[in-house]
Amino acid sequence: MDEETFEQFAEQLERYVRERLIPAEPQVIENDAVPADIIQEMREMGLFGLTVPEEYGGAGLNMSQYARTVNIMAYAAPAYRSIFSINVGMFASALKNGATEDQRAEWFPKLAEGKIACFGLTEPGSGSDSAGLQTTARPSADGNGWVLNGTKRYITNAPHADVALIMARTEKENLPKNAHVSAFLVPMNAAGVSTGSPDKKMGQSGSHISDIMLDDVEVPGEALLGGETGKGFRFAMQSLDNGRISVGATAAGYARRALDSAIRYANERKAFGEPIANFQLIQQMLADSEIEIYAAEAMMRDVTSRADRGENILIKAAAFKVFSSEMCGRVVDRVVQVYGGAGYLAEYDAERFYRDARIYRIYEGTTQILQLQIAKHMLREWEALNG
């Protein structure tokens, strides 16, 4: 999308977030669901196909535009972004990176029209540890397809999804570069696919996760992403760069919402005869939050511009996600403190911000896993230069 058109879209989206989505938040929280009419509006706005190439019916946003869109959406309740985030993030990225032309022609238009995708990597016994992955894919009896068995856990949008990208073991033994893992495009209405009840969570009302159970699920040979075994984990990890940028942009957007709420409350709440916004220690918490949000926004602009130039962003995407998610946690903690006793009450927004933000430090790679990954790649780069 050209920049002038995108700026018009971004301005329209900001109005939609503030005038439509935020007023509907009490309904989302009460019903633990995004209203169907809002989901349809989001489809009509093209939000489910933001990163789908234009030739397949999508908006064709580059990484900078995509991250900014997510950042704008994240100002509202997390459920709104969550319902389309897998489509425009990891699923679309995996199709771009690893799908055959036939697979792109089949699935990109479906994403653009609003079909919902999910991403099946995490399992009960493994998350970032691919060696522990237990879901299997074996050749079907006729040799023309695959049979999948296993369970995936904590899968965002699984209860509503039309299609899943499932990581499965195609070799019994662990192989170098995770070549024992392949990726499969699995329709959620396929025989043998079922989902558990949505998990009850600490926060993020209206955003649903559940298990996916695969019981002798037969898929055709065309379901193997890229048409080759052993490439699935690489496709998944490349997609996670995209997902981590999305989480970082989301955390920065939600931190901005929380800080704006704290500024408003600090000007309304009076103590000792004056607004608490006049007190220097309150001002310090507000200022520290602004400083950190600005740093995250600057990181977002840098890493996305690098991605658009075709640079390897593995380290920087992980660094942005770590900093932004940890920053958001610090900001919402300060916001509760600014609210004081009211910050602990469910009738005020601060308590919700605090619960909603906690997951950002966990999904798409915990802070600790990403610290290990960053260090590992730093050391590899040093060895390549000095070895």
Side-chain angles (χ1 to χ4, degrees):
M1 185 181 292
D2 66 82
E3 281 304 315
E4 182 179 353
T5 303
F6 176 75
E7 288 302 326
Q8 294 172 350
F9 167 74
E11 183 179 338
Q12 175 192 7
L13 187 63
E14 287 180 353
R15 288 198 304 270
Y16 182 70
V17 165
R18 284 161 174 76
E19 297 172 9
R20 177 69 167 124
L21 298 187
I22 289 177
E25 285 179 349
Q27 183 181 354
V28 172
I29 294 167
E30 181 180 357
N31 298 327
D32 190 26
V34 178
D37 57 340
I38 289 182
I39 293 177
Q40 186 56 35
E41 291 168 6
M42 291 165 64
R43 286 192 174 104
E44 292 169 0
M45 292 175 68
L47 296 181
F48 285 79
L50 290 171
T51 57
V52 171
E54 293 182 61
E55 60 265 32
Y56 296 100
L61 299 191
N62 62 29
M63 186 64 79
S64 298
Q65 294 168 338
Y66 160 62
R68 187 172 164 201
T69 300
V70 169
N71 183 258
I72 292 170
M73 282 294 297
Y75 196 84
Y80 296 122
R81 179 203 70 99
S82 181
I83 197 70
F84 70 86
S85 64
I86 307 301
N87 278 40
V88 300
M90 294 184 293
F91 198 92
S93 178
L95 290 180
K96 288 178 184 177
N97 292 333
T100 64
E101 183 51 44
D102 286 344
Q103 289 168 339
R104 292 176 184 140
E106 178 181 2
W107 288 107
F108 271 146
K110 292 179 180 179
L111 296 183
E113 71 182 24
K115 297 295 186 184
I116 298 174
C118 63
F119 190 89
L121 174 61
T122 301
E123 298 186 357
S126 68
S128 302
D129 174 21
S130 67
L133 189 140
Q134 296 298 312
T135 296
T136 60
R138 56 178 171 78
S140 57
D142 61 10
N144 295 322
W146 298 87
V147 179
L148 279 65
N149 283 279
T151 299
K152 297 296 179 178
R153 178 147 293 176
Y154 308 137
I155 306 304
T156 299
N157 289 337
H160 323 292
D162 299 292
V163 61
L165 186 64
I166 298 292
M167 304 300 140
R169 178 183 288 270
T170 45
E171 301 288 343
K172 291 183 179 180
E173 302 299 324
N174 294 331
L175 299 177
K177 298 183 179 180
N178 297 294
H180 54 283
V181 182
S182 302
F184 295 86
L185 294 157
V186 180
M188 291 294 285
N189 62 0
V193 177
S194 60
T195 59
S197 299
D199 293 304
K200 294 182 179 180
K201 311 185 305 301
M202 177 189 291
Q204 305 232 347
S205 296
S207 170
H208 298 147
I209 64 173
S210 74
D211 288 2
I212 297 177
M213 284 75 75
L214 305 156
D215 184 12
D216 285 337
V217 177
E218 294 193 33
V219 295
E222 295 77 21
L224 176 63
L225 188 69
E228 294 183 61
T229 60
K231 301 291 183 66
F233 195 75
R234 179 165 62 86
F235 295 147
M237 291 303 100
Q238 290 172 341
S239 301
L240 285 175
D241 285 345
N242 188 300
R244 286 161 185 166
I245 287 175
S246 178
V247 174
T250 297
Y254 207 50
R256 176 65 67 190
R257 168 75 181 283
L259 178 56
D260 286 350
S261 173
I263 294 170
R264 182 175 61 252
Y265 185 82
N267 279 284
E268 294 172 352
R269 176 74 166 90
K270 291 186 177 181
F272 307 104
E274 58 182 313
I276 63 172
N278 292 347
F279 301 154
Q280 288 183 336
L281 291 179
I282 296 292
Q283 292 174 1
Q284 180 186 21
M285 288 189 284
L286 299 177
D288 284 348
S289 297
E290 175 64 30
I291 291 165
E292 291 199 89
I293 293 171
Y294 173 60
E297 291 170 343
M299 290 180 76
M300 180 179 78
R301 288 189 291 269
D302 177 72
V303 70
T304 56
S305 65
R306 289 174 181 274
D308 288 334
R309 292 195 298 268
E311 295 183 22
N312 184 329
I313 58 165
L314 188 150
I315 291 177
K316 288 179 171 56
F320 170 49
K321 192 271 182 181
V322 168
F323 179 82
S324 191
S325 62
E326 293 286 342
M327 171 278 294
C328 187
R330 291 189 291 270
V331 168
V332 295
D333 186 74
R334 293 186 195 112
V335 170
V336 171
Q337 199 71 10
V338 169
Y339 270 75
Y344 202 68
L345 303 182
E347 66 183 278
Y348 292 89
D349 286 340
E351 178 266 353
R352 169 166 63 97
F353 297 150
Y354 189 84
R355 289 184 292 104
D356 285 346
R358 188 59 184 87
I359 190 63
Y360 296 140
R361 288 180 267 174
I362 296 173
Y363 63 21
E364 315 309 348
T366 65
T367 292
Q368 289 70 33
I369 282 291
L370 294 184
Q371 287 171 327
L372 292 175
Q373 187 180 68
I374 291 166
K376 178 179 71 175
H377 285 277
M378 289 170 60
L379 293 171
R380 281 182 182 174
E381 290 179 2
W382 185 90
E383 185 176 359
L385 290 172
N386 299 279

